Amino acid sequence: ILNVEQSPQSLHVQEGDSTNFTCSFPSSNFYALHWYRWETAKSPEALFVMTLNGDEKKKGRISATLNTKEGYSYLYIKGSQPEDSATYLCAPKWNTNAGKSTFGDGTTLTVKP
Amino acid sequence: DTGVSQNPRHKITKRGQNVTFRCDPISEHNRLYWYRQTLGQGPEFLTYFQNEAQLEKSRLLSDRFSAERPKGSFSTLEIQRTEQGDSAMYLCASGRGVDNYGYTFGSGTRLTVV
């Protein structure tokens, strides 16, 4: 079983704070990694797909980086807003089975006004 | 296209009963996935299809679970002789064969076994 670890498990910040979380995964045979945002009572929504070592992706105030050699990805949120409150899931894939994603347990972010 | 649709949204059943869930994916997506999620955990892979072919089924899945996608469109997930440990959110997702788009998830079916 390929282990995907996300930290921290939960995070409480004040509106306007910047924050970041980590996804760690086995680096051998890495294929691609997706980040998803899952808001309460909604469906998980894809944020980014990352494939190359050194990839950086950005969408508004949210950005992500990828290190495939050491097996980690960071997600950053600049100037957190209450609407950023959600669980953020990372989901890597490996060449040995690129047909499916393996999800971490997520980081739950709560942004207080 | 209205996205991925799952029915029912909620299901309460007695232990030992059979249940069936349905997923209607985005029409142009050839891949369909089933995941299960319990409180505090990430989605756990159950099975996936490419068109009508079931390409993989999790080894963690007991024989009580079966999934079909008969015409390569909608899919059903059946759980026979439900147990309390089956209580979870069952998520369906669809996607294309390329990775750049990720999955599109449905809203899930919340199963409670009493």
Side-chain angles (χ1 to χ4, degrees), chain A residues 22-55:
Chain A
T22 305
C23 172
S24 301
F25 52 88
S27 58
S28 180
N29 293 309
F30 174 82
Y31 183 74
L33 181 142
H34 290 87
W35 279 100
Y36 291 85
R37 174 169 57 201
W38 194 357
E39 296 178 66
T40 302
K42 294 188 178 179
S43 311
E45 172 194 4
L47 286 173
F48 304 117
V49 58
M50 312 182 80
T51 55
L52 300 175
N53 186 45
D55 251 356

Side-chain angles (χ1 to χ4, degrees), chain B:
Chain B
D1 200 329
T2 56
V4 178
S5 176
Q6 289 190 247
N7 289 289
R9 291 292 302 272
H10 303 274
K11 178 72 177 178
I12 299 174
T13 191
K14 291 183 178 179
R15 189 173 51 188
Q17 298 294 304
N18 299 343
V19 293
T20 300
F21 312 139
R22 177 178 170 125
C23 172
D24 288 88
I26 291 174
S27 56
E28 59 263 31
H29 286 180
N30 60 348
R31 289 194 176 179
L32 186 148
Y33 301 83
W34 286 99
Y35 282 81
R36 174 173 63 188
Q37 189 259 344
T38 53
L39 195 62
Q41 307 287 314
E44 174 192 23
F45 172 76
L46 295 179
T47 188
Y48 86 97
F49 294 83
Q50 179 157 303
N51 301 313
E52 65 274 13
Q54 187 173 19
L55 296 188
E56 186 176 345
K57 182 176 175 179
S58 170
R59 283 171 287 180
L60 301 174
L61 216 57
S62 79
D63 291 341
R64 297 183 297 106
F65 287 72
S66 62
E68 294 183 341
R69 194 183 182 196
K71 297 181 181 178
S73 56
F74 73 91
S75 175
T76 57
L77 177 69
E78 181 183 17
I79 310 174
Q80 296 182 327
R81 304 180 304 280
T82 52
E83 301 173 356
Q84 286 189 319
D86 297 331
S87 296
M89 172 74 84
Y90 289 82
L91 293 165
C92 175
S94 68
R96 297 183 177 90
V98 296
D99 291 294
N100 289 344
Y101 300 96
Y103 297 164
T104 301
F105 279 89
S107 299
T109 293
R110 169 76 64 188
L111 173 66
T112 303
V113 182
V114 297

Side-chain angles (χ1 to χ4, degrees), chain A residues 72-100:
Chain A
Y72 63 84
S73 178
Y74 293 141
L75 189 79
Y76 302 90
I77 303 179
K78 184 178 178 182
S80 303
Q81 299 296 308
E83 57 265 31
D84 296 328
S85 297
T87 295
Y88 292 83
L89 297 163
C90 77
K93 294 184 179 184
W94 294 271
N95 286 319
T96 46
N97 191 345
K100 70 172 196 277

